[in-house]
Each structure stands twice: as structure tokens, then as C-alpha cells.
Amino acid sequence: MIGDQDRRSRATPYRDLPEVGDPRAYGERRSGLRRFLGGSPMAVFVKLLFLSVLVGAAMAMLGLTPGQLFWRLYDTGRAMIELGLDTFHDFGRWILAGAIVVVPLWLITRFLAMGK
């Protein structure tokens, strides 16, 4: 195939233009604050305000307050930790009980293997 007829090698006139939504299309650079927030500060503020009103209304309908929500999460986390620690306590007992049998048998087999 001749290089001039290869469609992939041709430069398109629109290749270097920014895409829609790209800040370069409007001649502005994205600041660090805009990158962090994911948009303009005012737009993010309005979105957060709207979501806060929706969540607050839902919590009020359910009869939840932020304090109750915090303490419920705290109690749930504490119960999970206690459950996990009880499990590790039992697991530790199993390890010790097994080690009392396994380690001496392993030592005996190693000593017997040295004699060969």
C-alpha cells in the first residue's frame, strides 16, 4: 500500500481541537481547587446543599438525628470488634492446643531423620 493513500497516517483537521467539556475549549486552565472539587466551587456547593436537604429530610422522616446515627454506628463497630476478638481468642486456643501435639511430633521426626 502506498503511504499517501493510507487513511490512518493522514492528519485530520479536527484532531488537535479540545473535546466538549474540556476546559481548554474555553481558554481556561483547571486550577488545583477545581480538580480537587470536581468542578467549580459554586456548582459543587449547590450540589452538596441539595443533597444535604434530601438526606436531612429522609432522616427527619425516619426519626434519626446525627447523634443517634453516630451512636448506632459506634455500637455496631464495637460489637463487631468484640465478636472478632472473641473469634481470635478461640483461634489462639486452637493454635496452642494443636501446637502441643504437632511441635513435639515434628521434633521427634526431625531427630529420627538426622539418624539416617
Side-chain angles (χ1 to χ4, degrees):
M1 195 175 217
I2 299 174
D4 293 339
Q5 294 177 352
D6 188 8
R7 298 176 118 179
R8 294 174 292 179
S9 66
R10 288 187 197 162
T12 60
Y14 303 109
R15 185 179 70 188
D16 294 330
L17 290 177
E19 294 180 14
V20 175
D22 189 352
R24 293 180 299 152
Y26 306 108
E28 62 184 56
R29 253 184 60 217
R30 278 191 95 166
S31 68
L33 180 64
R34 282 181 179 246
R35 278 195 309 260
F36 174 73
L37 294 176
S40 72
M42 186 53 90
V44 173
F45 174 75
V46 170
K47 287 178 191 177
L48 290 176
L49 182 68
F50 179 71
L51 286 172
S52 296
V53 168
L54 287 178
V55 170
M59 286 177 64
M61 283 190 269
L62 295 173
L64 290 173
T65 63
Q68 288 175 337
L69 189 62
F70 171 77
W71 286 111
R72 284 186 185 181
L73 287 173
Y74 175 79
D75 290 339
T76 302
R78 188 170 178 192
M80 297 284 285
I81 289 171
E82 287 176 0
L83 177 66
L85 291 178
D86 287 343
T87 302
F88 284 123
H89 186 264
D90 292 341
F91 188 67
R93 284 185 186 171
W94 296 345
I95 290 174
L96 287 176
I100 288 173
V101 174
V102 170
V103 172
L105 290 175
W106 176 77
L107 280 172
I108 290 170
T109 58
R110 294 308 298 161
F111 286 136
L112 292 176
M114 284 176 50
K116 291 183 179 177

